[in-house]
Amino acid sequence: MKKADQLSEGMQKVVDLIDGIGAGMLTTPDSSGVLTSRPMMPLEVDANGSIWFFTKPSSDKQAPAGKVNLAFAEPSDGKYVSLSGGSTLIYDRNKIEELWSAAAKPWFPQGKEDPSLALLRVDVDDAEYWDSNSSRMVRMLAMAASAVSGKPVGMGENRTVHNPVAPSPAA
């Protein structure tokens, strides 16, 4: 995944966590309001904290009146990230060319010229992350200590981050 430096320390931490996790789950409301999720592989996080994906166009991946959620998890490392923001389908052939790699070919067998290939940009407004920064054994001991003490002990970092440079969804 390509990643640009972020303007805030909090967003930089979010981007670094996502980079180490890989695929995430994109959750959107369908036409009847039911939440649905699908796995998505991020291609790039730009300097505004927007996350780019290849996709096949569908209206349920955009959120003109609301928000989408992206969730990334790496339980073995105790890393979890949840992001919310708006989404926009983009048909920019130059950007598709820039982000294209052979790894996308199984999903888009016609390659970067595939007429059903588009980009989905998720403009992150807010994020929350949990990062234990310790081994599974240390986390298990911390959970036991938390259960005994009745409060979280040594469970790592949990932080909510507002993206100060999130573009408007219409941008």
Side-chain angles (χ1 to χ4, degrees):
M1 175 179 82
K2 292 172 56 175
K3 60 182 188 172
D5 290 337
Q6 301 299 296
L7 297 178
S8 77
E9 180 183 323
M11 280 302 294
Q12 188 64 53
K13 173 76 177 195
V14 167
V15 170
D16 291 343
L17 286 169
I18 290 170
D19 188 39
I21 294 173
M25 294 295 287
L26 173 70
T27 303
T28 59
D30 68 13
S31 59
S32 63
V34 175
L35 295 175
T36 58
S37 299
R38 70 209 47 83
M40 301 287 283
M41 182 62 76
L43 304 167
E44 175 182 37
V45 181
D46 65 25
N48 289 325
S50 295
I51 305 174
W52 294 76
F53 303 89
F54 283 135
T55 192
K56 291 186 186 253
S58 68
S59 60
D60 66 338
K61 291 179 185 158
Q62 288 187 269
K67 296 194 180 241
V68 300
N69 177 267
L70 278 168
F72 295 85
E74 186 61 63
S76 63
D77 291 335
K79 297 179 187 314
Y80 304 88
V81 182
S82 177
L83 307 111
S84 63
S87 62
T88 306
L89 285 170
I90 297 176
Y91 302 91
D92 180 337
R93 300 319 289 179
N94 291 329
K95 187 72 172 176
I96 289 171
E97 174 78 31
E98 174 191 332
L99 296 175
W100 182 259
S101 75
K105 186 97 172 157
W107 287 269
F108 301 96
Q110 294 178 35
K112 55 192 167 199
E113 291 79 26
D114 186 335
S116 70
L117 177 61
L119 292 162
L120 179 72
R121 186 187 73 211
V122 174
D123 298 319
V124 175
D125 295 324
D126 296 289
E128 185 171 10
Y129 68 83
W130 298 261
D131 182 9
S132 74
N133 284 323
S134 55
S135 71
R136 183 174 285 183
M137 181 59 74
V138 170
R139 289 193 313 270
M140 287 175 40
L141 292 170
M143 281 192 253
S146 297
V148 169
S149 71
K151 61 182 179 183
V153 175
M155 297 301 289
E157 182 181 8
N158 170 233
R159 183 169 171 206
T160 300
V161 176
H162 175 70
N163 184 4
V165 294
S168 85

